[in-house]
Amino acid sequence: MVNDMVDSRLNKLANVIIPVDDQDRALEFYTETLGLEKRADLPFGDGARWIEVAPSGAGTPIALCPPGPGVSAGGKDTGISLGSEDVDVTHAHLQERGVDVDAEVSRFGEIPPLFWFRDPEGNSLMVVQAGP
């Protein structure tokens, strides 16, 4: 019985999913605008694709998938936080590229500086200062 419990434990975060209506536009935004790498682009379901993107070296990818039954795409607070070695530079870079970012970087005392941005479908993600 002990071996069965060890073998069935959850052992990693496999991916996080953002439901999107326009997968081509999402892929372009996440790779070309944000600079994430495409990890997978496979047939999925009825004419859709399973697309995964991630920062270089990241263990957990973001899946850009069509919404499931009863789920709508867009306008989601994804809960996804991306790290940047210099959040101020990243904020300015995304602003220059026309990304919908918060007006300024937020600073809350001991919490690392951070800001939110929205993808073309209105899904929000956070960028937080992270060490090298």
Side-chain angles (χ1 to χ4, degrees):
M1 182 69 171
V2 172
N3 286 338
D4 288 341
M5 286 191 341
V6 171
D7 293 341
S8 66
R9 285 188 314 195
L10 303 175
N11 62 6
K12 72 176 189 173
L13 182 59
N15 57 53
V16 294
I17 298 173
I18 300 177
V20 298
D21 282 326
D22 187 334
Q23 289 183 289
D24 289 325
R25 181 174 68 167
L27 179 60
E28 180 180 345
F29 174 78
Y30 283 91
T31 57
E32 295 179 23
T33 303
L34 297 185
L36 305 184
E37 61 185 27
K38 179 173 68 172
R39 299 244 179 116
D41 191 344
L42 307 165
F44 178 67
D46 189 23
R49 296 154 33 214
W50 180 269
I51 300 172
E52 290 182 353
V53 296
S56 179
T60 303
I62 299 169
L64 305 171
C65 298
V71 177
S72 61
K76 306 284 188 249
D77 179 357
T78 67
I80 296 171
S81 176
L82 301 170
S84 170
E85 290 183 19
D86 189 329
V87 74
D88 294 299
V89 169
T90 301
H91 182 266
H93 175 75
L94 294 179
Q95 268 186 325
E96 289 168 6
R97 301 205 70 177
V99 175
D100 179 12
V101 297
D102 288 352
E104 59 187 38
V105 174
S106 297
R107 289 174 164 75
F108 303 103
E110 297 298 314
I111 296 171
L114 56 91
F115 68 91
W116 282 266
F117 70 90
R118 272 86 27 214
D119 72 10
E121 294 193 16
N123 298 302
S124 63
L125 295 87
M126 177 193 296
V127 176
V128 64
Q129 182 91 21

